[in-house]
Amino acid sequence: EPEVTQTPSHQVTQMGQEVILRCVPISNHLYFYWYRQILGQKVEFLVSFYNNEISEKSEIFDDQFSVERPDGSNFTLKIRSTKLEDSAMYFCAVVWSGETQYFGPGTRLLVL
Amino acid sequence: GNSVTQMEGPVTLSEEAFLTINCTYTATGYPSLFWYVQYPGEGLQLLLKATKADDKGSNKGFEATYRKETTSFHLEKGSVQVSDSAVYFCALSDGFQKLVFGTGTRLLVSP
């Protein structure tokens, strides 16, 4: 099972500020995903990333969101101008074997 | 589109009781089915999976069978422990596409 780390574990930011969430898989992967979970609610898909480009995105993933692999290992999610409703737990996931997605521990984002 | 429906919680059981958490799905094609578990304050961990009809996934005493005829993937455990207290999510995916999750079912096990 792959090990996936996410940084930071917690982030508090002011509304309108930019945040960058990072995902660091230990081994090489081709498929990456971001999901979010608003407190007490279901896990929602944001975006999938394959071969260095977005393969699918949800309605939530609007122009305020972007993803990239800046150095071939880290996988980042950027929110350009945070809103109160962006407060959530953000999970990165990778595919390691077959099609099974393995999740990182998450970043808890709080927008004030 | 694809969707997953789970029984609402919380499910409250005494230690050593039998557990069933119902999960049904709607999908085009032949999705893979998963159960993920989220312990308090932690991320999502894969509990078990099944990739085709009649497959049984199992792990840590938990089992679920992919039933195409009833579009179900119910999670069962013969004897729960206090340490099984967590939120359980049923999910499906179609190939390398996104996971579609159910709303989650909270399990509370008392000694």
PDB file of all heavy atoms in Angstrom, chain A residues 2-29:
ATOM      1  N   PRO A   2       0.593   2.204  -0.874  1.00  0.00           N
ATOM      2  CA  PRO A   2       1.458   3.383  -0.967  1.00  0.00           C
ATOM      3  C   PRO A   2       1.289   4.298   0.234  1.00  0.00           C
ATOM      4  O   PRO A   2       0.240   4.350   0.855  1.00  0.00           O
ATOM      5  CB  PRO A   2       0.959   4.068  -2.233  1.00  0.00           C
ATOM      6  CG  PRO A   2      -0.465   3.661  -2.354  1.00  0.00           C
ATOM      7  CD  PRO A   2      -0.521   2.256  -1.825  1.00  0.00           C
ATOM      8  N   GLU A   3       2.354   5.033   0.528  1.00  0.00           N
ATOM      9  CA  GLU A   3       2.280   6.020   1.590  1.00  0.00           C
ATOM     10  C   GLU A   3       2.137   7.390   0.950  1.00  0.00           C
ATOM     11  O   GLU A   3       2.892   7.746   0.038  1.00  0.00           O
ATOM     12  CB  GLU A   3       3.542   5.963   2.446  1.00  0.00           C
ATOM     13  CG  GLU A   3       3.483   6.871   3.660  1.00  0.00           C
ATOM     14  CD  GLU A   3       4.716   6.700   4.542  1.00  0.00           C
ATOM     15  OE1 GLU A   3       5.361   5.639   4.450  1.00  0.00           O
ATOM     16  OE2 GLU A   3       5.016   7.626   5.306  1.00  0.00           O
ATOM     17  N   VAL A   4       1.182   8.136   1.413  1.00  0.00           N
ATOM     18  CA  VAL A   4       0.910   9.462   0.886  1.00  0.00           C
ATOM     19  C   VAL A   4       0.899  10.446   2.042  1.00  0.00           C
ATOM     20  O   VAL A   4       0.206  10.217   3.035  1.00  0.00           O
ATOM     21  CB  VAL A   4      -0.462   9.509   0.162  1.00  0.00           C
ATOM     22  CG1 VAL A   4      -0.696  10.896  -0.428  1.00  0.00           C
ATOM     23  CG2 VAL A   4      -0.539   8.441  -0.922  1.00  0.00           C
ATOM     24  N   THR A   5       1.694  11.484   1.930  1.00  0.00           N
ATOM     25  CA  THR A   5       1.680  12.510   2.969  1.00  0.00           C
ATOM     26  C   THR A   5       1.086  13.787   2.406  1.00  0.00           C
ATOM     27  O   THR A   5       1.165  14.045   1.193  1.00  0.00           O
ATOM     28  CB  THR A   5       3.089  12.786   3.515  1.00  0.00           C
ATOM     29  OG1 THR A   5       3.915  13.248   2.434  1.00  0.00           O
ATOM     30  CG2 THR A   5       3.704  11.524   4.099  1.00  0.00           C
ATOM     31  N   GLN A   6       0.514  14.579   3.296  1.00  0.00           N
ATOM     32  CA  GLN A   6      -0.062  15.851   2.889  1.00  0.00           C
ATOM     33  C   GLN A   6       0.422  16.929   3.850  1.00  0.00           C
ATOM     34  O   GLN A   6       0.524  16.701   5.056  1.00  0.00           O
ATOM     35  CB  GLN A   6      -1.598  15.802   2.921  1.00  0.00           C
ATOM     36  CG  GLN A   6      -2.200  14.947   1.825  1.00  0.00           C
ATOM     37  CD  GLN A   6      -3.706  15.023   1.789  1.00  0.00           C
ATOM     38  OE1 GLN A   6      -4.396  14.027   1.948  1.00  0.00           O
ATOM     39  NE2 GLN A   6      -4.231  16.220   1.548  1.00  0.00           N
ATOM     40  N   THR A   7       0.719  18.088   3.282  1.00  0.00           N
ATOM     41  CA  THR A   7       1.113  19.223   4.107  1.00  0.00           C
ATOM     42  C   THR A   7       0.381  20.478   3.661  1.00  0.00           C
ATOM     43  O   THR A   7       0.083  20.635   2.466  1.00  0.00           O
ATOM     44  CB  THR A   7       2.632  19.481   4.013  1.00  0.00           C
ATOM     45  OG1 THR A   7       2.981  19.724   2.647  1.00  0.00           O
ATOM     46  CG2 THR A   7       3.421  18.304   4.546  1.00  0.00           C
ATOM     47  N   PRO A   8       0.056  21.367   4.598  1.00  0.00           N
ATOM     48  CA  PRO A   8       0.144  21.174   6.038  1.00  0.00           C
ATOM     49  C   PRO A   8      -0.981  20.269   6.533  1.00  0.00           C
ATOM     50  O   PRO A   8      -1.894  19.960   5.776  1.00  0.00           O
ATOM     51  CB  PRO A   8      -0.033  22.601   6.571  1.00  0.00           C
ATOM     52  CG  PRO A   8      -0.934  23.247   5.571  1.00  0.00           C
ATOM     53  CD  PRO A   8      -0.544  22.670   4.237  1.00  0.00           C
ATOM     54  N   SER A   9      -0.926  19.864   7.782  1.00  0.00           N
ATOM     55  CA  SER A   9      -2.024  19.058   8.314  1.00  0.00           C
ATOM     56  C   SER A   9      -3.210  19.955   8.655  1.00  0.00           C
ATOM     57  O   SER A   9      -4.356  19.532   8.556  1.00  0.00           O
ATOM     58  CB  SER A   9      -1.562  18.288   9.552  1.00  0.00           C
ATOM     59  OG  SER A   9      -1.070  19.178  10.529  1.00  0.00           O
ATOM     60  N   HIS A  10      -2.907  21.178   9.079  1.00  0.00           N
ATOM     61  CA  HIS A  10      -3.954  22.162   9.379  1.00  0.00           C
ATOM     62  C   HIS A  10      -3.527  23.509   8.808  1.00  0.00           C
ATOM     63  O   HIS A  10      -2.338  23.839   8.813  1.00  0.00           O
ATOM     64  CB  HIS A  10      -4.141  22.334  10.899  1.00  0.00           C
ATOM     65  CG  HIS A  10      -4.654  21.132  11.595  1.00  0.00           C
ATOM     66  ND1 HIS A  10      -3.853  20.071  11.940  1.00  0.00           N
ATOM     67  CD2 HIS A  10      -5.912  20.814  12.010  1.00  0.00           C
ATOM     68  CE1 HIS A  10      -4.582  19.154  12.545  1.00  0.00           C
ATOM     69  NE2 HIS A  10      -5.824  19.576  12.599  1.00  0.00           N
ATOM     70  N   GLN A  11      -4.497  24.266   8.308  1.00  0.00           N
ATOM     71  CA  GLN A  11      -4.210  25.619   7.856  1.00  0.00           C
ATOM     72  C   GLN A  11      -5.403  26.510   8.152  1.00  0.00           C
ATOM     73  O   GLN A  11      -6.540  26.158   7.822  1.00  0.00           O
ATOM     74  CB  GLN A  11      -3.893  25.660   6.365  1.00  0.00           C
ATOM     75  CG  GLN A  11      -3.638  27.058   5.852  1.00  0.00           C
ATOM     76  CD  GLN A  11      -2.573  27.126   4.787  1.00  0.00           C
ATOM     77  OE1 GLN A  11      -2.099  26.122   4.290  1.00  0.00           O
ATOM     78  NE2 GLN A  11      -2.188  28.342   4.429  1.00  0.00           N
ATOM     79  N   VAL A  12      -5.088  27.653   8.758  1.00  0.00           N
ATOM     80  CA  VAL A  12      -6.098  28.664   9.006  1.00  0.00           C
ATOM     81  C   VAL A  12      -5.738  29.867   8.143  1.00  0.00           C
ATOM     82  O   VAL A  12      -4.584  30.309   8.134  1.00  0.00           O
ATOM     83  CB  VAL A  12      -6.140  29.071  10.489  1.00  0.00           C
ATOM     84  CG1 VAL A  12      -7.214  30.129  10.722  1.00  0.00           C
ATOM     85  CG2 VAL A  12      -6.391  27.854  11.369  1.00  0.00           C
ATOM     86  N   THR A  13      -6.713  30.396   7.417  1.00  0.00           N
ATOM     87  CA  THR A  13      -6.438  31.517   6.526  1.00  0.00           C
ATOM     88  C   THR A  13      -7.594  32.502   6.558  1.00  0.00           C
ATOM     89  O   THR A  13      -8.695  32.179   7.004  1.00  0.00           O
ATOM     90  CB  THR A  13      -6.200  31.013   5.089  1.00  0.00           C
ATOM     91  OG1 THR A  13      -5.724  32.086   4.276  1.00  0.00           O
ATOM     92  CG2 THR A  13      -7.494  30.488   4.469  1.00  0.00           C
ATOM     93  N   GLN A  14      -7.321  33.692   6.110  1.00  0.00           N
ATOM     94  CA  GLN A  14      -8.349  34.718   6.021  1.00  0.00           C
ATOM     95  C   GLN A  14      -9.040  34.634   4.659  1.00  0.00           C
ATOM     96  O   GLN A  14      -8.418  34.307   3.645  1.00  0.00           O
ATOM     97  CB  GLN A  14      -7.736  36.111   6.184  1.00  0.00           C
ATOM     98  CG  GLN A  14      -7.104  36.368   7.538  1.00  0.00           C
ATOM     99  CD  GLN A  14      -8.132  36.413   8.641  1.00  0.00           C
ATOM    100  OE1 GLN A  14      -9.224  36.951   8.469  1.00  0.00           O
ATOM    101  NE2 GLN A  14      -7.811  35.823   9.791  1.00  0.00           N
ATOM    102  N   MET A  15     -10.312  34.939   4.650  1.00  0.00           N
ATOM    103  CA  MET A  15     -11.081  34.950   3.400  1.00  0.00           C
ATOM    104  C   MET A  15     -10.379  35.831   2.373  1.00  0.00           C
ATOM    105  O   MET A  15      -9.900  36.927   2.697  1.00  0.00           O
ATOM    106  CB  MET A  15     -12.477  35.496   3.707  1.00  0.00           C
ATOM    107  CG  MET A  15     -13.480  35.304   2.619  1.00  0.00           C
ATOM    108  SD  MET A  15     -15.153  35.670   3.200  1.00  0.00           S
ATOM    109  CE  MET A  15     -14.967  37.308   3.843  1.00  0.00           C
ATOM    110  N   GLY A  16     -10.299  35.352   1.147  1.00  0.00           N
ATOM    111  CA  GLY A  16      -9.664  36.096   0.077  1.00  0.00           C
ATOM    112  C   GLY A  16      -8.197  35.770  -0.121  1.00  0.00           C
ATOM    113  O   GLY A  16      -7.600  36.163  -1.134  1.00  0.00           O
ATOM    114  N   GLN A  17      -7.601  35.067   0.838  1.00  0.00           N
ATOM    115  CA  GLN A  17      -6.189  34.697   0.716  1.00  0.00           C
ATOM    116  C   GLN A  17      -6.035  33.452  -0.144  1.00  0.00           C
ATOM    117  O   GLN A  17      -6.948  32.640  -0.291  1.00  0.00           O
ATOM    118  CB  GLN A  17      -5.592  34.438   2.101  1.00  0.00           C
ATOM    119  CG  GLN A  17      -5.533  35.666   2.982  1.00  0.00           C
ATOM    120  CD  GLN A  17      -4.627  36.732   2.412  1.00  0.00           C
ATOM    121  OE1 GLN A  17      -3.452  36.494   2.158  1.00  0.00           O
ATOM    122  NE2 GLN A  17      -5.166  37.919   2.179  1.00  0.00           N
ATOM    123  N   GLU A  18      -4.835  33.298  -0.694  1.00  0.00           N
ATOM    124  CA  GLU A  18      -4.491  32.105  -1.484  1.00  0.00           C
ATOM    125  C   GLU A  18      -3.927  31.033  -0.554  1.00  0.00           C
ATOM    126  O   GLU A  18      -3.184  31.338   0.380  1.00  0.00           O
ATOM    127  CB  GLU A  18      -3.448  32.477  -2.534  1.00  0.00           C
ATOM    128  CG  GLU A  18      -2.912  31.293  -3.327  1.00  0.00           C
ATOM    129  CD  GLU A  18      -1.821  31.707  -4.300  1.00  0.00           C
ATOM    130  OE1 GLU A  18      -2.152  32.311  -5.339  1.00  0.00           O
ATOM    131  OE2 GLU A  18      -0.630  31.416  -4.017  1.00  0.00           O
ATOM    132  N   VAL A  19      -4.289  29.791  -0.811  1.00  0.00           N
ATOM    133  CA  VAL A  19      -3.692  28.674  -0.084  1.00  0.00           C
ATOM    134  C   VAL A  19      -3.193  27.632  -1.078  1.00  0.00           C
ATOM    135  O   VAL A  19      -3.762  27.471  -2.162  1.00  0.00           O
ATOM    136  CB  VAL A  19      -4.670  28.015   0.913  1.00  0.00           C
ATOM    137  CG1 VAL A  19      -5.064  28.975   2.003  1.00  0.00           C
ATOM    138  CG2 VAL A  19      -5.877  27.451   0.203  1.00  0.00           C
ATOM    139  N   ILE A  20      -2.127  26.961  -0.702  1.00  0.00           N
ATOM    140  CA  ILE A  20      -1.598  25.855  -1.500  1.00  0.00           C
ATOM    141  C   ILE A  20      -1.507  24.632  -0.611  1.00  0.00           C
ATOM    142  O   ILE A  20      -0.835  24.657   0.425  1.00  0.00           O
ATOM    143  CB  ILE A  20      -0.222  26.187  -2.099  1.00  0.00           C
ATOM    144  CG1 ILE A  20      -0.329  27.375  -3.053  1.00  0.00           C
ATOM    145  CG2 ILE A  20       0.344  24.963  -2.838  1.00  0.00           C
ATOM    146  CD1 ILE A  20       1.005  27.826  -3.629  1.00  0.00           C
ATOM    147  N   LEU A  21      -2.174  23.589  -1.003  1.00  0.00           N
ATOM    148  CA  LEU A  21      -2.143  22.317  -0.281  1.00  0.00           C
ATOM    149  C   LEU A  21      -1.267  21.349  -1.076  1.00  0.00           C
ATOM    150  O   LEU A  21      -1.374  21.270  -2.303  1.00  0.00           O
ATOM    151  CB  LEU A  21      -3.562  21.760  -0.124  1.00  0.00           C
ATOM    152  CG  LEU A  21      -4.611  22.739   0.394  1.00  0.00           C
ATOM    153  CD1 LEU A  21      -5.956  22.030   0.543  1.00  0.00           C
ATOM    154  CD2 LEU A  21      -4.194  23.377   1.685  1.00  0.00           C
ATOM    155  N   ARG A  22      -0.438  20.606  -0.343  1.00  0.00           N
ATOM    156  CA  ARG A  22       0.526  19.725  -1.016  1.00  0.00           C
ATOM    157  C   ARG A  22       0.294  18.265  -0.690  1.00  0.00           C
ATOM    158  O   ARG A  22      -0.048  17.893   0.416  1.00  0.00           O
ATOM    159  CB  ARG A  22       1.948  20.115  -0.622  1.00  0.00           C
ATOM    160  CG  ARG A  22       2.401  21.429  -1.207  1.00  0.00           C
ATOM    161  CD  ARG A  22       3.850  21.742  -0.902  1.00  0.00           C
ATOM    162  NE  ARG A  22       4.291  22.924  -1.627  1.00  0.00           N
ATOM    163  CZ  ARG A  22       4.025  24.178  -1.272  1.00  0.00           C
ATOM    164  NH1 ARG A  22       3.327  24.407  -0.183  1.00  0.00           N
ATOM    165  NH2 ARG A  22       4.458  25.187  -1.995  1.00  0.00           N
ATOM    166  N   CYS A  23       0.555  17.450  -1.695  1.00  0.00           N
ATOM    167  CA  CYS A  23       0.423  16.001  -1.575  1.00  0.00           C
ATOM    168  C   CYS A  23       1.734  15.410  -2.049  1.00  0.00           C
ATOM    169  O   CYS A  23       2.229  15.774  -3.132  1.00  0.00           O
ATOM    170  CB  CYS A  23      -0.732  15.537  -2.448  1.00  0.00           C
ATOM    171  SG  CYS A  23      -0.911  13.758  -2.613  1.00  0.00           S
ATOM    172  N   VAL A  24       2.317  14.518  -1.255  1.00  0.00           N
ATOM    173  CA  VAL A  24       3.605  13.938  -1.621  1.00  0.00           C
ATOM    174  C   VAL A  24       3.496  12.419  -1.574  1.00  0.00           C
ATOM    175  O   VAL A  24       3.598  11.819  -0.504  1.00  0.00           O
ATOM    176  CB  VAL A  24       4.726  14.403  -0.692  1.00  0.00           C
ATOM    177  CG1 VAL A  24       6.079  13.882  -1.189  1.00  0.00           C
ATOM    178  CG2 VAL A  24       4.748  15.908  -0.579  1.00  0.00           C
ATOM    179  N   PRO A  25       3.294  11.791  -2.693  1.00  0.00           N
ATOM    180  CA  PRO A  25       3.333  10.333  -2.700  1.00  0.00           C
ATOM    181  C   PRO A  25       4.776   9.846  -2.642  1.00  0.00           C
ATOM    182  O   PRO A  25       5.676  10.495  -3.178  1.00  0.00           O
ATOM    183  CB  PRO A  25       2.678   9.974  -4.034  1.00  0.00           C
ATOM    184  CG  PRO A  25       2.836  11.175  -4.883  1.00  0.00           C
ATOM    185  CD  PRO A  25       2.986  12.363  -3.997  1.00  0.00           C
ATOM    186  N   ILE A  26       4.993   8.724  -1.979  1.00  0.00           N
ATOM    187  CA  ILE A  26       6.350   8.240  -1.788  1.00  0.00           C
ATOM    188  C   ILE A  26       6.920   7.657  -3.076  1.00  0.00           C
ATOM    189  O   ILE A  26       8.098   7.792  -3.371  1.00  0.00           O
ATOM    190  CB  ILE A  26       6.403   7.195  -0.666  1.00  0.00           C
ATOM    191  CG1 ILE A  26       5.960   7.841   0.643  1.00  0.00           C
ATOM    192  CG2 ILE A  26       7.785   6.591  -0.519  1.00  0.00           C
ATOM    193  CD1 ILE A  26       6.766   9.033   1.060  1.00  0.00           C
ATOM    194  N   SER A  27       6.092   6.989  -3.833  1.00  0.00           N
ATOM    195  CA  SER A  27       6.586   6.401  -5.078  1.00  0.00           C
ATOM    196  C   SER A  27       5.888   7.046  -6.262  1.00  0.00           C
ATOM    197  O   SER A  27       4.963   7.823  -6.100  1.00  0.00           O
ATOM    198  CB  SER A  27       6.372   4.891  -5.083  1.00  0.00           C
ATOM    199  OG  SER A  27       5.048   4.584  -4.741  1.00  0.00           O
ATOM    200  N   ASN A  28       6.341   6.736  -7.422  1.00  0.00           N
ATOM    201  CA  ASN A  28       5.771   7.365  -8.617  1.00  0.00           C
ATOM    202  C   ASN A  28       4.367   6.869  -8.907  1.00  0.00           C
ATOM    203  O   ASN A  28       4.086   5.682  -8.800  1.00  0.00           O
ATOM    204  CB  ASN A  28       6.661   7.062  -9.826  1.00  0.00           C
ATOM    205  CG  ASN A  28       7.926   7.875  -9.798  1.00  0.00           C
ATOM    206  OD1 ASN A  28       7.938   8.969  -9.267  1.00  0.00           O
ATOM    207  ND2 ASN A  28       8.987   7.336 -10.357  1.00  0.00           N
ATOM    208  N   HIS A  29       3.499   7.793  -9.247  1.00  0.00           N
ATOM    209  CA  HIS A  29       2.139   7.450  -9.623  1.00  0.00           C
ATOM    210  C   HIS A  29       1.750   8.268 -10.842  1.00  0.00           C
ATOM    211  O   HIS A  29       2.299   9.332 -11.085  1.00  0.00           O
ATOM    212  CB  HIS A  29       1.159   7.759  -8.484  1.00  0.00           C
ATOM    213  CG  HIS A  29       1.498   7.059  -7.214  1.00  0.00           C
ATOM    214  ND1 HIS A  29       1.121   5.759  -6.967  1.00  0.00           N
ATOM    215  CD2 HIS A  29       2.191   7.465  -6.134  1.00  0.00           C
ATOM    216  CE1 HIS A  29       1.574   5.403  -5.782  1.00  0.00           C
ATOM    217  NE2 HIS A  29       2.226   6.408  -5.248  1.00  0.00           N
TER     218      HIS A  29
END
